[in-house]
């Protein structure tokens, strides 16, 4: 009995020691407690922008408390457990200081300085009577801080003026920018907004010819004698500003170094559109470069056009640098000569890529990709690529364990930095429009089951009228899919499921598509923004109109093109994402909602298999294998893991992910996914798969999990471990599966390995 009691006490002691170490408290004491966080207590909320003021004060607290996960601080524990490295590099240093994080103690915080800094930030926001104090809250070897903030009444703007009414050209231009000023009477004085507005006005003046003007050459004069807690603002040019800065400039000679070489001298110089076009290697046709040059002789100097020229030509993807430099014309005052230097990348390159993929459908295996790129295919900065890829996979677990599959494909693509065949949309100065021409062939083979061959070709365009809006037009998409080497078992399955069989039929897909995407993020520091997109694509309508012209009857087996039936459908693909920053650590809550629908009609009412929607997988419901959910409450009867009958015409999915930093470039995430796919028409071979308004909510699948991401800002390696919480294929009333997680956790948890964030 005593031995068992001693053993139990020993286990408890070991557990306590382990928890203490993992909590990061190894070196903390009552006199030197670990800093666990802070809070801000407002005695009265700020009258204006209370959320922004709170976030700004939060960000002042530095150093920030170590991140914790359920009260544990594994990165601090790792730092404490690794001995001090001898050198400031190497694995031990990386382990201790990069993967691990040093503990932050209360004594590390300059609390009186933080009080003063918070008062200063509130003063900058117009709260001139603000006071800040702090209180320590101790819990043994831990301590937190409560800052008590009293903002007081704000100082309000009573008048805003620009310029002083002089007759000179610069002052008149300054007066003209008052109409676009975002500062309004009745709002509080805000130093950050005044600084932003001064920079905006300076940039607009530089767009209008004042090449040398800078924000520091303008000054806000604040008159506080207009009343208690009131201020009148006046933006004007500093009196001591030199004449060179108050002079407007025009463009003189423009010289374009089209393919500058650091070693070779220029070969020749052409006169193109009134500009000197200098060629070193004679790589690019002049018209290909000139379409992106917006700085022209005789025009007024413009900062916006200078930046647009650099962005536009850089977007070609063939220059390693685009430089624009200005110099004074020695013989003419107020004139600038421009020199545009284009430094090309190497024209030809080979690339290869090897990877090992583990998919959520239990298939894993190696893959290889080999490619060739020509960055100046037709001497117009076109990029030609030729890719050859192959992959072998085997199913490591599940009902089809031991099943092998392989995939081989070849694809050629040509990206042209201009619009071909179509007129170019007006006002494109942020980046060049791109015409994409592609063709490819590939096949996928599931050993002893079936094979799929596909040939594709397409012509598409993408362009951006401004930074936050994307347009993607697929003018022509042609593909032919062919089922071959179907096994007797697979063919028998298709014979028993005519709807699925029709989706696998050899058929042409000839169509068009368009996707519009917009982001509300106007600056990198913005904490909340939305990205939404709407995609639509259709197939077969033009071909069908030609095939049925004159009122020709449609045969029961459908119209054919080159001896094969062609598909006819419309798909809608709206998607909405919301990004919301939380706290000072860069943590973020990201949510996504997508509702996709496809309708087949006319020549073939069944959507081709490759165009149907599925749920489950690394970027969908991560607690389920790819293509293993739905449609609806349908429970597949297949025992060979074909995963070909669980697709649908309608998809509804919601994802939520809380992203946080663990240490350095090691990120974590807590996430949940919900959704399913449904059929728009009843299919007797898949009972429960049809969408019904009164039952679809009960057929939603749900999962949750934890993710680990390695994000060194170059490539993101993502590992997501998730488990299903609700399965729609189970009988009603038995769809919550919490009990299964405990009994069969090793079979219910799915590890997703992927590159990049899921959304």
């Amino acid at each position: 009995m005593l031995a068992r009691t001693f053993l139990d006490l020993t286990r408890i002691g070991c557990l306590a020691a382990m928890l203490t170490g993992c909590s990061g408290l190894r070196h903390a004491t009552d006199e030197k407690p670990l800093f666990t966080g802070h809070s801000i207590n407002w005695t009265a909320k700020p009258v204006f922008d209370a959320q922004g003021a709170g976030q700004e004060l939060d960000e002042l607290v530095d150093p920030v408390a170590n991140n914790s996960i359920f009260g544990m601080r594994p990165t601090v524990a790792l730092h404490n457990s690794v001995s001090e490295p001898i050198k400031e590099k190497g694995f031990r240093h990386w382990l201790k200081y990069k993967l691990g994080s040093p503990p932050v103690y209360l004594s590390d915080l300059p609390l009186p300085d933080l009080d003063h800094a918070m008062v200063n930030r509130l003063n900058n926001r117009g709260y001139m009577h603000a006071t800040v104090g702090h209180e320590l809250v101790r819990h043994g070897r831990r301590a937190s801080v409560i800052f008590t903030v009293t903002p007081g009444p704000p100082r309000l703007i009573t008048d805003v003026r620009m310029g002083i009414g002089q007759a000179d050209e610069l002052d008149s231009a300054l007066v003209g920018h008052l109409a676009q000023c975002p500062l309004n009477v009745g709002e509080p004085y805000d130093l950050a907004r005044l600084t932003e507005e001064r920079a905006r006005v300076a940039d607009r003046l530089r767009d209008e010819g004042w090449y040398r003007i800078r924000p520091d050459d303008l000054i806000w004069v604040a008159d506080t004698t207009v009343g208690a807690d009131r201020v009148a603002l006046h933006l004007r040019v500093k009196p001591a500003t030199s004449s060179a800065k108050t002079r407007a400039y025009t463009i003189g000679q423009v010289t374009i170094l089209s393919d500058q070489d650091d070693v070779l001298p220029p070969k020749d110089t052409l006169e193109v559109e009134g500009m000197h076009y200098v060629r070193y290697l004679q790589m690019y046709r002049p018209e290909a470069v000139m379409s992106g040059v917006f700085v022209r002789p005789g025009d007024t100097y413009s900062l916006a056009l200078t930046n647009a020229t650099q962005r536009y030509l850089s977007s070609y993807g063939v220059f390693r640098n685009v430089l624009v430099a200005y110099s004074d014309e020695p013989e003419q005052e107020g004139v600038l000569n421009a020199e545009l230097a284009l430094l090309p990348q190497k024209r030809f390159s080979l690339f290869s890529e090897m990877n090992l993929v583990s998919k959520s459908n239990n298939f894993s295996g190696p893959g290889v990709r080999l490619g060739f790129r020509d960055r100046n295919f037709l001497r117009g900065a076109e990029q030609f690529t030729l890719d050859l890829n192959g992959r072998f996979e085997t199913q490591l677990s599940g009902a089809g364990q031991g099943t092998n599959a392989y995939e081989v494909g070849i694809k050629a693509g040509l990206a042209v930095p201009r619009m071909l065949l179509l007129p170019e949309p007006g006002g494109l100065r942020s980046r060049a429009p791109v015409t994409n021409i592609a063709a490819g062939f590939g096949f996928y083979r599931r050993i002893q089951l079936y094979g799929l061959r596909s040939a594709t070709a397409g012509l598409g365009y993408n362009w951006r009228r401004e930074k936050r809006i994307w347009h993607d037009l697929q003018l022509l998409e042609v593909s032919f899919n062919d089922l071959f080497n179907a096994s007797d078992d697979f063919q028998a399955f298709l014979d028993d499921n005519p709807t699925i069989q029709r989706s696998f039929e050899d058929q042409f897909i000839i169509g068009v598509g368009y996707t519009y995407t917009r982001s509300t993020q106007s600056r990198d520091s913005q904490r909340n923004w939305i990205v939404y997109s709407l995609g639509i694509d259709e197939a077969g309508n033009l071909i069908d109109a030609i095939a049925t012209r004159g009122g020709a009857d449609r045969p029961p087996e459908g119209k054919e093109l080159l001896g094969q039936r062609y598909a006819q459908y419309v798909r809608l693909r709206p998607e909405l994402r919301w990004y919301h920053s939380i706290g000072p650590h860069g943590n973020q809550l990201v949510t996504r909602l997508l509702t996709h629908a496809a309708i087949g009609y006319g020549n073939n009412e069944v959507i081709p298999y490759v165009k149907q929607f599925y749920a489950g997988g690394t970027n969908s419901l991560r607690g389920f294998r790819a293509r293993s959910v739905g449609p609806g409450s349908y429970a597949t009867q297949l025992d060979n893991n074909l995963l070909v009958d669980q697709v649908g015409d309608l998809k509804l999915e919601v994802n939520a992910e809380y992203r946080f930093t663990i240490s350095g470039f090691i990120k974590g995430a807590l996430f949940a996914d919900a959704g399913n796919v449904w059929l728009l028409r009843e299919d007797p071979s898949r009972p429960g798969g049809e969408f019904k308004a009164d039952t679809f909510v009960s057929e939603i699948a749900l999962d949750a999990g934890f993710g680990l991401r390695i994000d060194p800002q170059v490539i993101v390696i993502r590992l997501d471990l998730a488990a299903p919480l609700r399965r729609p294929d189970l009988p009603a009333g038995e769809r919550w599966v919490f009990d299964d997680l405990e009994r069969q956790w090793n079979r219910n948890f799915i590890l997703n390995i992927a590159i990049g964030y899921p959304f």
Side-chain angles (χ1 to χ4, degrees):
M1 184 66 178
L2 290 175
R4 178 178 298 177
T5 302
F6 177 77
L7 182 60
D8 289 342
L9 290 175
T10 302
R11 289 174 176 172
I12 293 173
C14 291
L15 179 61
M18 182 180 65
L19 291 177
T20 299
C22 197
S23 65
L25 296 174
R26 173 179 293 183
H27 303 298
T29 64
D30 291 342
E31 295 74 23
K32 187 183 178 181
L34 189 72
F35 174 54
T36 58
H38 73 277
S39 61
I40 294 179
N41 179 30
W42 297 93
T43 59
K45 285 287 186 180
V47 179
F48 294 92
D49 192 18
Q51 181 180 5
Q55 291 174 348
E56 186 173 5
L57 298 190
D58 273 330
E59 292 169 356
L60 281 174
V61 180
D62 185 55
V64 297
N66 300 110
N67 280 331
S68 66
I69 304 175
F70 305 116
M72 301 292 103
R73 297 173 180 81
T75 60
V76 178
L78 177 63
H79 175 87
N80 290 338
S81 62
V82 176
S83 59
E84 189 66 30
I86 299 175
K87 300 180 180 179
E88 293 187 358
K89 58 181 180 179
F91 177 73
R92 181 179 294 181
H93 184 273
W94 175 84
L95 195 65
K96 186 176 182 68
Y97 289 100
K98 299 298 182 181
L99 187 58
S101 55
V104 177
Y105 298 103
L106 180 64
S107 57
D108 296 329
L109 269 72
L111 292 175
D113 292 341
L114 289 176
D115 291 343
H116 293 308
M118 289 184 179
V119 169
N120 178 261
R121 293 301 178 90
L122 290 171
N123 291 165
N124 291 343
R125 285 177 169 266
Y127 299 95
M128 303 300 179
H129 308 289
T131 60
V132 177
H134 64 266
E135 176 187 358
L136 304 182
V137 180
R138 297 178 179 270
H139 300 283
R141 291 183 290 166
R142 300 180 178 88
S144 60
V145 181
I146 299 175
F147 293 95
T148 301
V149 182
T150 301
R155 174 164 286 172
L156 304 180
I157 299 173
T158 60
D159 185 36
V160 180
R161 290 189 297 153
M162 291 186 180
I164 56 177
Q166 293 181 349
D168 66 80
E169 192 177 359
L170 177 57
D171 193 72
S172 298
L174 190 58
V175 173
H177 286 286
L178 180 60
Q180 289 78 41
C181 180
L183 305 174
N184 298 309
V185 173
E187 294 179 344
Y189 168 92
D190 191 323
L191 181 60
R193 294 186 67 200
L194 294 180
T195 303
E196 290 177 1
E197 176 59 7
R198 186 180 67 165
R200 183 194 71 83
V201 172
D203 284 347
R204 297 295 76 79
L205 291 173
R206 294 181 71 188
D207 291 342
E208 298 166 358
W210 280 272
Y211 168 64
R212 288 190 165 88
I213 202 76
R214 295 295 185 271
D216 288 344
D217 298 316
L218 306 177
I219 185 172
W220 282 104
V221 178
D223 182 2
T224 59
T225 65
V226 294
D229 295 324
R230 297 291 186 269
V231 62
L233 299 173
H234 184 190
L235 183 66
R236 55 186 295 182
V237 180
K238 288 182 179 178
T241 304
S242 66
S243 59
K245 292 188 174 184
T246 59
R247 178 186 300 120
Y249 289 82
T250 58
I251 303 299
Q253 181 58 54
V254 177
T255 302
I256 302 171
L257 309 180
S258 64
D259 49 0
Q260 186 179 21
D261 189 274
D262 297 332
V263 178
L264 298 178
K267 284 191 175 181
D268 59 17
T269 300
L270 307 176
E271 285 293 325
V272 181
E273 300 179 22
M275 293 174 276
H276 293 166
Y277 188 87
V278 182
R279 299 191 295 184
Y280 289 76
L281 304 172
Q282 298 181 328
M283 294 179 64
Y284 309 108
R285 298 192 311 273
E287 58 271 21
V289 173
M290 298 304 296
S291 62
V293 178
F294 307 121
V295 178
R296 299 293 172 124
D299 289 351
T300 300
Y301 165 80
S302 170
L303 173 64
L305 293 181
T306 301
N307 292 337
T309 297
Q310 290 181 292
R311 289 194 304 266
Y312 196 96
L313 292 173
S314 296
S315 71
Y316 285 11
V318 301
F319 303 116
R320 55 187 171 90
N321 211 344
V322 177
L323 304 173
V324 182
Y326 292 94
S327 60
D328 289 293
E329 168 57 51
E331 299 181 0
Q332 194 173 1
E333 193 175 71
V335 175
L336 297 171
N337 292 327
E339 183 178 83
L340 173 61
L342 307 178
L343 284 69
Q345 298 187 51
K346 291 182 179 179
R347 177 176 175 179
F348 302 108
S349 63
L350 297 173
F351 57 88
S352 63
E353 177 182 300
M354 296 191 67
N355 53 60
L356 179 65
V357 174
S358 177
K359 297 182 179 178
S360 59
N361 60 1
N362 295 328
F363 273 86
S364 298
V368 62
R369 178 183 175 221
L370 304 174
F372 163 79
R373 178 178 287 111
D374 181 351
R375 293 187 175 87
N376 194 27
F377 187 61
L378 300 173
R379 296 186 60 245
E382 304 89 353
Q383 293 196 64
F384 172 79
T385 56
L386 182 65
D387 282 85
L388 177 66
N389 63 80
R391 182 177 306 285
F392 176 81
E393 299 172 344
T394 187
Q395 188 170 337
L396 300 179
S397 62
Q401 183 173 353
T403 300
N404 297 322
Y406 63 87
E407 179 180 0
V408 177
I410 185 171
K411 181 179 180 181
L414 180 64
V416 182
R418 52 194 168 274
M419 301 286 277
L420 301 180
L421 304 180
L422 293 181
E424 183 173 307
L428 298 186
R429 287 183 171 174
S430 62
R431 60 186 298 120
V434 179
T435 301
N436 293 298
I437 305 171
F441 174 79
F443 61 88
Y444 174 80
R445 184 82 169 90
R446 286 280 294 272
I447 304 299
Q448 299 179 348
L449 286 176
Y450 65 91
L452 283 175
R453 284 188 291 252
S454 65
T456 62
L459 171 64
Y461 307 87
N462 58 70
W463 69 93
R464 294 171 67 172
R465 191 180 301 276
E466 58 179 86
K467 182 180 179 180
R468 296 177 291 167
I469 299 177
W470 298 261
H471 301 270
D472 191 339
L473 172 64
Q474 192 68 25
L475 185 63
L476 179 64
E477 179 185 10
V478 180
S479 65
F480 178 74
N481 301 291
D482 172 34
L483 178 67
F484 71 99
N485 281 356
S487 66
D488 293 340
D489 290 341
F490 187 72
Q491 189 60 54
F493 164 74
L494 294 181
D495 293 339
D496 293 337
N497 297 269
T499 302
I500 299 174
Q501 184 178 37
R502 276 182 287 167
S503 72
F504 271 91
E505 286 178 345
D506 300 348
Q507 57 187 306
F508 281 101
I509 301 175
I510 304 174
V512 300
Y514 172 73
T515 301
Y516 174 87
T517 304
R518 183 184 183 94
S519 171
T520 64
Q521 185 181 20
S522 59
R523 60 186 186 278
D524 293 339
S525 60
Q526 189 168 330
R527 298 178 64 88
N528 305 295
W529 71 92
I530 293 173
V531 176
Y532 57 90
S533 67
L534 175 62
I536 180 172
D537 58 281
E538 65 84 25
N541 288 316
L542 179 60
I543 300 299
D544 194 67
I546 297 174
T548 58
R549 68 185 183 278
D553 294 332
R554 187 188 308 277
E557 66 277 7
K559 290 282 186 178
E560 294 184 347
L561 176 66
L562 301 178
Q564 299 291 343
R565 180 187 291 191
Y566 55 85
Q568 193 172 3
Y569 63 83
V570 171
R571 299 197 311 165
L572 291 173
R573 296 170 285 106
E575 183 174 327
L576 177 67
R577 303 180 186 182
W578 178 58
Y579 298 81
H580 174 64
S581 297
I582 300 175
H585 296 277
N587 298 349
Q588 192 178 52
L589 176 65
V590 184
T591 58
R592 177 179 67 169
L593 168 66
L594 57 86
T595 54
H596 295 176
I599 302 174
Y601 55 90
N603 203 54
N604 192 351
E605 294 185 351
V606 178
I607 310 296
Y609 180 76
V610 295
K611 294 295 183 179
Q612 294 188 38
F613 305 116
Y614 67 89
T618 57
N619 296 326
S620 181
L621 308 181
R622 285 163 280 183
F624 299 85
R625 290 177 296 152
R627 303 177 186 267
S628 68
V629 180
S633 60
Y634 167 67
T636 180
Q637 301 301 311
L638 301 179
D639 58 1
N640 56 3
N641 204 29
L642 287 176
L643 297 178
V644 296
D645 59 341
Q646 296 186 263
V647 291
D649 311 317
L650 177 66
K651 179 176 181 178
L652 174 64
E653 186 170 307
V654 180
N655 314 90
E657 188 166 281
Y658 175 64
R659 300 170 181 171
F660 54 90
T661 300
I662 296 177
S663 177
F665 57 80
I666 308 297
K667 315 290 184 180
L670 297 173
F671 60 83
D673 310 302
N676 204 336
V677 295
W678 290 268
L679 305 173
L680 292 179
R681 297 183 177 92
E682 184 180 5
D683 182 1
S685 64
R686 288 181 286 180
E690 185 181 7
F691 178 84
K692 296 181 180 179
D694 57 341
T695 61
F696 84 95
V697 174
S698 65
E699 296 169 348
I700 296 291
L702 178 66
D703 68 61
F706 172 78
L708 188 67
R709 289 85 191 274
I710 302 173
D711 184 6
Q713 303 298 316
V714 178
I715 188 173
V716 178
I717 301 175
R718 172 166 57 95
L719 295 90
D720 288 338
L721 184 65
L725 303 180
R726 182 178 173 83
R727 290 181 48 185
D729 59 326
L730 297 177
E734 301 178 13
R735 291 173 178 169
W736 292 103
V737 292
F738 295 107
D739 293 341
D740 290 345
L741 299 181
E742 182 179 355
R743 292 196 304 264
Q744 303 182 42
W745 64 270
N746 59 324
R747 296 181 56 187
N748 285 280
F749 280 87
I750 290 180
L751 177 63
N752 298 272
I753 303 175
I755 301 297
Y757 287 98
F759 49 87

